[in-house]
Amino acid sequence: MTTTMRGLLPVRPSLPPGLDARAATILREVVEEYVASGEPVGSRTVARRLGLPLSPATIRNVMASLTEAGLLFAPHISAGRLPTEAGLRLFVDGLLQFGALSDEEQKVIDQSLEALGRSLQDTLSEASALLAGMSGAAGLVIAPKGEGGVKHIEFVALGSNRALVVLVGADGHVENRVIETPPGMPPSALVEAANYLNARAMGVSLSDLRRRVATDMEQDSTALDSLAAEVVESGLAIWNGGRAESGGTLIVRGQSRLLADVDGQERLLAIQSLFDRLEAQETMLRLLELVENSEGVRIFIGAESGLFGTTGMSVVMAPARNEANRIVGAIGVIGPTRINYGRVVPVVDYTARLLGDMLG
């Protein structure tokens, strides 16, 4: 189960049976204290936070009931209580109180994302670092591969019936792929294929170039010999693959923050596994899938995202949409389950909207 935030208003479920207003209030105080300290929360601490005429004994009884309901647990005998993932989910869905970004904070975000004099990659890196700094966790920015213009395509023979395809975008971005070439193909076929494609590229997008070439070949008007035509088709096909092309850039900043509270070898290995997964292309695609049907911020606690196993991490993500409401990227935060959701959600929401305008 996940939560979608629309305009920063949480979807509020019905409280579970037996969870009255007092129990909900105490659960909220336990979670908020845990978020602030990371330590088990005792009844006396809750009493001080509430400032209400409730004795620690009364609070202990309510906390015991919350424990029986699976919303709290005791990490040690005679210790205070910590929220379970179910308790955090209930808190996020119905008890979370969001903070508002100040005018100064909005100004900081606005200035950080100004792209004047910077490349898109640098601007996205700045956005990810900004999220990390404002959330105290790791910042994630995903920019799907754009449909910018193609500046130049070149084929370089590698031997053993292989060639390197070099694609230079209008923005100067360079990508390389290796393709198989027909046996016995002369070097002149690679030159012919490159000249043919470059004469038709002229700043058009890769998808438009594919359509032009497909039309030419259907009409048999390419004037290419059969080997060069085969190279052209292979050279374009290597960038054609639906989901593979829907990938792009995943920028993660602030990973070191995820190690701040790590103790124990098992926990360290879990975080290392998380780092490895963040480097995988499939993770980026899955992150995009998680937000593609969302209109606002989504919160995934623990294993809910299906991406990071039982590493005790939460993911807060929002799609970046352009004026046509098409997703042009995503932005978010990954951190321990005790991240400050009330603080993180408005930051992610505001930054995602700015990023959508920038990438749109």
Side-chain angles (χ1 to χ4, degrees):
M1 178 180 178
T2 60
T3 296
T4 300
M5 304 296 173
R6 300 178 181 86
L8 299 186
L9 293 177
V11 178
R12 296 183 179 274
S14 300
L15 292 177
L19 193 63
D20 56 20
R22 175 185 290 181
T25 299
I26 291 175
L27 175 62
R28 184 183 66 235
E29 296 302 320
V30 170
V31 173
E32 290 182 349
E33 177 64 24
Y34 166 65
V35 165
S37 69
E39 299 294 331
V41 182
S43 57
R44 293 187 183 277
T45 299
V46 175
R48 286 196 302 270
R49 288 181 59 93
L50 285 174
L52 297 175
L54 290 177
S55 68
T58 299
I59 295 174
R60 277 197 300 273
N61 289 336
V62 175
M63 291 173 68
S65 298
L66 291 171
T67 302
E68 292 177 1
L71 302 176
L72 299 178
F73 75 99
H76 308 290
I77 296 177
S78 301
R81 298 294 190 267
L82 294 176
T84 63
E85 289 188 2
L88 286 170
R89 168 52 55 197
L90 179 59
F91 168 79
V92 165
D93 283 348
L95 305 174
L96 178 59
Q97 297 176 340
F98 298 106
L101 292 182
S102 67
D103 292 341
E104 184 61 28
E105 288 172 325
Q106 293 183 24
K107 184 178 179 181
V108 168
I109 297 173
D110 293 344
Q111 292 176 341
S112 297
L113 294 188
E114 283 182 353
L116 298 177
R118 291 188 306 193
S119 68
L120 176 61
Q121 184 79 6
D122 288 343
T123 302
L124 296 179
S125 294
E126 179 64 25
S128 183
L130 174 74
L131 277 179
M134 296 187 76
S135 67
L140 309 174
V141 174
I142 304 172
K145 184 176 295 182
E147 278 292 298
V150 177
K151 181 178 181 180
H152 182 75
I153 295 178
E154 186 174 352
F155 295 90
V156 181
L158 297 177
S160 302
N161 298 327
R162 296 191 308 159
L164 181 70
V165 188
V166 182
L167 186 147
V168 182
D171 60 357
H173 184 68
V174 179
E175 293 191 40
N176 303 308
R177 300 286 193 278
V178 176
I179 64 171
E180 300 293 326
T181 57
M185 185 194 67
S188 60
L190 293 177
V191 175
E192 184 181 359
N195 289 341
Y196 166 80
L197 288 174
N198 288 321
R200 287 157 177 79
M202 298 298 291
V204 304
S205 68
L206 190 59
S207 58
D208 286 340
L209 181 58
R210 286 198 195 96
R211 284 191 287 270
R212 290 185 182 186
V213 170
T215 299
D216 280 357
M217 290 189 171
E218 287 175 2
Q219 297 174 353
D220 197 25
S221 59
T222 62
L224 290 170
D225 66 31
S226 60
L227 291 180
E230 190 171 341
V231 170
V232 166
E233 291 182 334
S234 298
L236 290 179
I238 199 67
W239 267 279
N240 187 17
R243 284 173 58 87
E245 189 183 359
S246 68
T249 301
L250 171 60
I251 300 173
V252 185
R253 295 291 182 269
Q255 296 99 315
S256 61
R257 299 173 186 272
L258 302 181
L259 297 170
D261 297 327
V262 172
D263 53 355
Q265 183 68 18
E266 181 178 351
R267 180 76 170 148
L268 184 62
L269 292 175
I271 296 296
Q272 183 58 57
S273 174
L274 168 64
F275 289 165
D276 292 340
R277 294 186 188 189
L278 285 174
E279 294 177 359
Q281 176 81 0
E282 182 62 24
T283 296
M284 177 169 56
L285 297 173
R286 286 282 292 113
L287 285 169
L288 282 172
E289 289 176 357
L290 291 177
V291 299
E292 64 182 358
N293 295 321
S294 173
E295 292 298 326
V297 181
R298 300 194 71 187
I299 299 174
F300 304 89
I301 297 173
E304 289 176 347
S305 69
L307 289 174
F308 307 121
T310 57
T311 56
M313 293 289 157
S314 286
V315 182
V316 181
M317 295 288 297
R321 296 180 180 271
N322 62 13
E323 292 183 356
N325 205 38
R326 183 174 67 87
I327 292 181
V328 292
I331 195 163
V333 163
I334 180 169
T337 54
R338 70 177 191 89
I339 59 176
N340 189 337
Y341 299 97
R343 164 71 170 168
V344 168
V345 167
V347 171
V348 170
D349 177 74
Y350 186 78
T351 309
R353 286 187 275 120
L354 288 185
L355 185 67
D357 293 339
M358 186 180 70
L359 295 178

